[in-house]
């Protein structure tokens, strides 16, 4: 199983980035996807994730209205559109996959089965 995250970079405050996570090696439709972020020396924090097999999603309060998670099942890829970025959004962003049966706990990092390698997002003030 491989999750390949990309799309990170450095942007000024108020800018936008679109993260991608290409998934290979698992049956994509049986997994729910999420994004987490991590500051140096801290644990991974929930950002956004799908809830179950439907199209609904959950977001951390800090990103609601600015970030949007989406997925392309044909391309087995999940995206995180990030708008109006703030310096406090600076972190390494990770995509993760969890079995749909566990998606009621989609905000808990330890409930995910597979992780990507992370992509750095830096927002300058």
């Amino acid at each position: 199983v491989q999750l390949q995250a990309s799309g990170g970079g450095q942007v000024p405050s108020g800018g936008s980035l679109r993260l991608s996570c290409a998934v290979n090696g698992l049956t994509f439709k049986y997994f729910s996807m999420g994004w987490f972020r991590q500051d140096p020396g801290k644990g991974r924090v929930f950002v956004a994730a799908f809830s179950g097999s439907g199209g609904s999603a959950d977001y951390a309060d800090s990103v609601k209205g600015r970030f949007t998670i989406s997925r392309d099942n044909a391309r087995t890829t999940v995206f995180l559109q990030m708008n109006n970025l703030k310096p406090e959004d600076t972190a390494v962003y990770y995509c993760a996959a969890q079995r749909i049966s566990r998606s009621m706990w989609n905000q808990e990092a330890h409930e995910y089965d597979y992780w990507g390698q992370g992509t750095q997002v830096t927002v300058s003030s």
Side-chain angles (χ1 to χ4, degrees), residues 39-55:
D39 291 328
K42 299 183 179 179
R44 292 181 184 180
V45 176
F46 170 74
V47 175
F50 288 104
S51 53
S53 58

Side-chain angles (χ1 to χ4, degrees), residues 6-8 17-21 35 78-80 82 93 119 121:
S6 61
L17 283 173
R18 188 192 195 205
L19 305 183
S20 299
C21 177
W35 288 94
V78 63
F79 305 97
L80 185 68
M82 306 186 294
Y93 283 71
T119 185
V121 171

Side-chain angles (χ1 to χ4, degrees), residues 36 44-46 96 105-113 115:
F36 290 74
R44 292 181 184 180
V45 176
F46 170 74
W105 298 286
N106 62 352
Q107 301 186 25
E108 303 295 331
H110 65 271
E111 293 290 344
Y112 284 77
D113 302 288
W115 291 85

Side-chain angles (χ1 to χ4, degrees), residues 35 48 57 59 63 65-70 79-83:
W35 288 94
Y59 297 90
V63 307
R66 301 188 297 122
F67 290 13
T68 302
I69 187 172
S70 61
F79 305 97
L80 185 68
Q81 178 66 44
M82 306 186 294
N83 298 328

